[in-house]
C-alpha cells in the first residue's frame, strides 16, 4: 500500500483556555481533552510568514525576500456530534457562567479561546500538533434540509502559534510538545471517547419566527438604577451595573437559581402567570406583573431578549405566537465577530532569547454581525411584506430539541428574492440581520442568545 497522508488517520481534541493562549504560554495547566466532533475540514498547521519580495534596479528578480509577521490560521469545519460543537460555537458567541455552567447567554466582548491538539498516525509512528490561542473570528452554522448531511459549523479561526512534537514516537509521546516556542504536555491526559449519540440532522432542528406588533408580556418595576436582562433561558435582575439583586433571593423559590437569577425553563417561572406570582412574598424592591392579557399559555422564554431599564415600570414584550418557518430547504446562521489582530513580538516559553513577530500576538473582538439566511419554497407574501414595511421579526428561534436552542432577536430583512423560473418551483431566500431589544446599556448583545 502506498505510504501517503490520509485524513482518516487524523484526530483532534481541545481544551478551553482561561485567557488568550494560556495553555501554550504555560500560564494554565493542561487538563482533560474534549472530543471535537465530526471533522469535515481541518488544518492545524497553516502558517503564513507573509514574506515580501524587495525589488531593486540591476536584478532580474527581487534579490531579497523578507519575512513578515507569522500568521496562523486554522480551517475547521465540524459536524454537530456530541457536545464539542456546543462549546466551540458557545465560545464564538461568548460563554458566561450562570447557574454553575458556561452558557452562550449573550455576545461577549472578550476573546474566548481553546487549545487544539491534533494527532496523525504515520507509517510507524505518531505526530502531534498543538495550536494555542485558537480564536473564532466567525462561525457559520449550516442546515441543509434537502440532504441527509448533519448540521455543520464552519469556523474562521486564527491561533497565537502552532508547534509539532518533534520527536517521533508513540501516540502518547506525540502529545508532549516539549522544548518549543509554546509547550504543553498532554501525554498523561486520557483522550476523550467518541460521542455515543448520532450526529444532529437538520430535521432535528425546528426554525420558528414571529411577526407583527406585540402587546403581551410582563411589566417589571425595580429600584432606582436597576435593570433586567432577558436571555434565552435566564432573566437577570441587577440593582446597579454588574450587581445581581439580593432583592430577588435564591431562598425564595427553586426557579431562582442564584440571587437575581431566574431560570425561565423552571416550572415555577415558565409562563407569564407563574413568573408574575413569584414576587408575592420574599422579594424586596421588585415587582413583576402580566401585561396585555398574557397568562398561563404564554412561555416566558418567548420574551424579547435584551436589556431593560427598570428604574420605573418597564414593559417587556413577547410575540403572541411563534410559527414554524414553512418548507425550509437550507438555513445558514453566521456569527461574524470581526476580530482585530494585534501584531507583536512573542517570547518563547522555553528560551526567553527566542522571539517571533506574530500576526496574532493578541486579538481584540470587533463589532459582531449576526445574520440568518433561509431558503425555502415560496409560500406567500409574509416576508416580502415585512421587508417592504421595514418592520422587524421580534423573535426567531432555532430549536435543537434536547440539544438546546438559539434565539435571535429583533431581525430586519435585509434582502429577499423569489424569482420565477419556467417549469420549476419558486424558491424564496430571506436574509435577516439581528440587533437585540431593550433600552439600556449594550442591549444589542442579546441579538443572539443560546441555551446549550
Amino acid at each position: 500500500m502506498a505510504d501517503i497522508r490520509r485524513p482518516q488517520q487524523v484526530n483532534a481534541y481541545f481544551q478551553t483556555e482561561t485567557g488568550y493562549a494560556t495553555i501554550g504560554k504555560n500560564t494554565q495547566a493542561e487538563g482533560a481533552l474534549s472530543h471535537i466532533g465530526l471533522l469535515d475540514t481541518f488544518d492545524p498547521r497553516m502558517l503564513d510568514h507573509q514574506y515580501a519580495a524587495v525589488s531593486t534596479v540591476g536584478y532580474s528578480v527581487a534579490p531579497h525576500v523578507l519575512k513578515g509577521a507569522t500568521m496562523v490560521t486554522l480551517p475547521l469545519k465540524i459536524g454537530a456530534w456530541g457536545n464539542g460543537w456546543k462549546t466551540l460555537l458557545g465560545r464564538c458567541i461568548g460563554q458566561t457562567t450562570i447557574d454553575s455552567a458556561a452558557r452562550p447567554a449573550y455576545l461577549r466582548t472578550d476573546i474566548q479561546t481553546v487549545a487544539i491538539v491534533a494527532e496523525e498516525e504515520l507509517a510507524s509512528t505518531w505526530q502531534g500538533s498543538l495550536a494555542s490561542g485558537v480564536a473564532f473570528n466567525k462561525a457559520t452554522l449550516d442546515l441543509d434540509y434537502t440532504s441527509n448531511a448533519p448540521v455543520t459549523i464552519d469556523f474562521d479561526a486564527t491561533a497565537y502559534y502552532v508547534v509539532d512534537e518533534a520527536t517521533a514516537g508513540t501516540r502518547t509521546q506525540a502529545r508532549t510538545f516539549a522544548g518549543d516556542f509554546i509547550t504543553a504536555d498532554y501525554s498523561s491526559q486520557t483522550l476523550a471517547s467518541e460521542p455515543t449519540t448520532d450526529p444532529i440532522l437538520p430535521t432535528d432542528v425546528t426554525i420558528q419566527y414571529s411577526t407583527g406588533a406585540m402587546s403581551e408580556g410582563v411589566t417589571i418595576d425595580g429600584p432606582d438604577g436597576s435593570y433586567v436582562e432577558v436571555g434565552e433561558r435566564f432573566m437577570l435582575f441587577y440593582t446597579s451595573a454588574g450587581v445581581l439583586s439580593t432583592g430577588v433571593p435564591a431562598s425564595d423559590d427553586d426557579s431562582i437559581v442564584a440571587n437575581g437569577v431566574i431560570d425561565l425553563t423552571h416550572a415555577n417561572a415558565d409562563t407569564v402567570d407563574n413568573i408574575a406570582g413569584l414576587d408575592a412574598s420574599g422579594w424586596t424592591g421588585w415587582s413583576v406583573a402580566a401585561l396585555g392579557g398574557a397568562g398561563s399559555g404564554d412561555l416566558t422564554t418567548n420574551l424579547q431578549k435584551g436589556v431593560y431599564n427598570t428604574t420605573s415600570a418597564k414593559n417587556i414584550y413577547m410575540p403572541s405566537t411563534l410559527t414554524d418557518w414553512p418548507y425550509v430547504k437550507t438555513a445558514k446562521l453566521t456569527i461574524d465577530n470581526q476580530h482585530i489582530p494585534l501584531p507583536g513580538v512573542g517570547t518563547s516559553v522555553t528560551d526567553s532569547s527566542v522571539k517571533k513577530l506574530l500576526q496574532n500576538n493578541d486579538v481584540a473582538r470587533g463589532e459582531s454581525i449576526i445574520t440568518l439566511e433561509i431558503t425555502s419554497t415560496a409560500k406567500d407574501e409574509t416576508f416580502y411584506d415585512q421587508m417592504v414595511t421595514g418592520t422587524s421579526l421580534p423573535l426567531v428561534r432555532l430549536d435543537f430539541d434536547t440539544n438546546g436552542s438559539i434565539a435571535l432577536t429583533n431581525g430586519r430583512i435585509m434582502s429577499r428574492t423569489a424569482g420565477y423560473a419556467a417549469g420549476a418551483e419558486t424558491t424564496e431566500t430571506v436574509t435577516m440581520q439581528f440587533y437585540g431589544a431593550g433600552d439600556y446599556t449594550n442591549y444589542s448583545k442579546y441579538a443572539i442568545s443560546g441555551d446549550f
Side-chain angles (χ1 to χ4, degrees), residues 127-374:
Q127 175 176 281
S129 298
L130 168 69
S132 184
V134 178
F136 303 108
N137 177 52
K138 181 190 289 188
T140 303
L141 178 75
D142 269 307
L143 303 96
D144 186 350
Y145 290 84
T146 66
S147 73
N148 291 326
V151 174
T152 62
I153 306 100
D154 193 353
F155 294 99
D156 172 11
T158 60
Y160 171 72
Y161 200 68
V162 61
V163 295
D164 296 328
E165 172 49 49
T167 304
T170 66
R171 190 177 188 183
T172 300
Q173 291 169 336
R175 301 196 302 273
T176 55
F177 308 113
D180 214 318
F181 188 77
I182 60 174
T183 65
D185 187 354
Y186 283 98
S187 60
S188 63
Q189 299 296 327
T190 302
L191 296 178
S193 301
E194 291 186 350
T196 56
T197 57
D198 290 333
I200 299 172
L201 298 175
T203 49
D204 298 321
V205 184
T206 302
I207 303 176
Q208 296 181 308
Y209 72 96
S210 60
T211 60
M214 297 176 292
S215 60
E216 298 179 345
V218 296
T219 300
I220 300 179
D221 198 358
D224 286 347
S226 66
Y227 62 98
V228 166
E229 297 189 9
V230 181
E232 175 69 337
R233 178 165 178 173
F234 295 96
M235 183 180 287
L236 311 176
F237 294 74
Y238 291 93
T239 51
S240 58
V243 180
L244 287 165
S245 178
T246 56
V248 183
S251 58
D252 186 58
D253 190 86
D254 288 343
S255 66
I256 307 174
V257 296
N259 287 341
V261 181
I262 294 181
D263 184 348
L264 299 178
T265 67
H266 193 280
N268 294 349
D270 60 350
T271 67
V272 171
D273 267 3
N274 288 337
I275 199 170
L278 287 179
D279 64 346
S281 64
W283 289 30
T284 303
W286 295 89
S287 66
V288 181
L291 170 67
S296 60
D298 297 294
L299 297 176
T300 51
T301 51
N302 289 339
L303 290 166
Q304 271 204 302
K305 321 307 173 189
V307 186
Y308 300 88
N309 187 340
T310 52
T311 292
S312 58
K314 179 65 59 180
N315 294 337
I316 303 176
Y317 293 99
M318 65 196 311
S320 57
T321 59
L322 285 175
T323 304
D324 287 355
W325 202 292
Y327 313 125
V328 178
K329 291 180 174 294
T330 63
K332 181 182 294 185
L333 170 64
T334 301
I335 303 148
D336 185 355
N337 293 323
Q338 302 189 95
H339 285 175
I340 303 166
L342 302 173
V345 176
T347 302
S348 168
V349 297
T350 56
D351 184 349
S352 60
S353 67
V354 176
K355 300 182 183 297
K356 295 181 183 292
L357 179 60
L358 303 176
Q359 180 71 17
N360 301 307
N361 190 58
D362 205 346
V363 178
R365 186 156 179 160
E367 180 185 78
S368 297
I369 302 173
I370 310 300
T371 57
L372 177 65
E373 178 186 282
I374 295 180

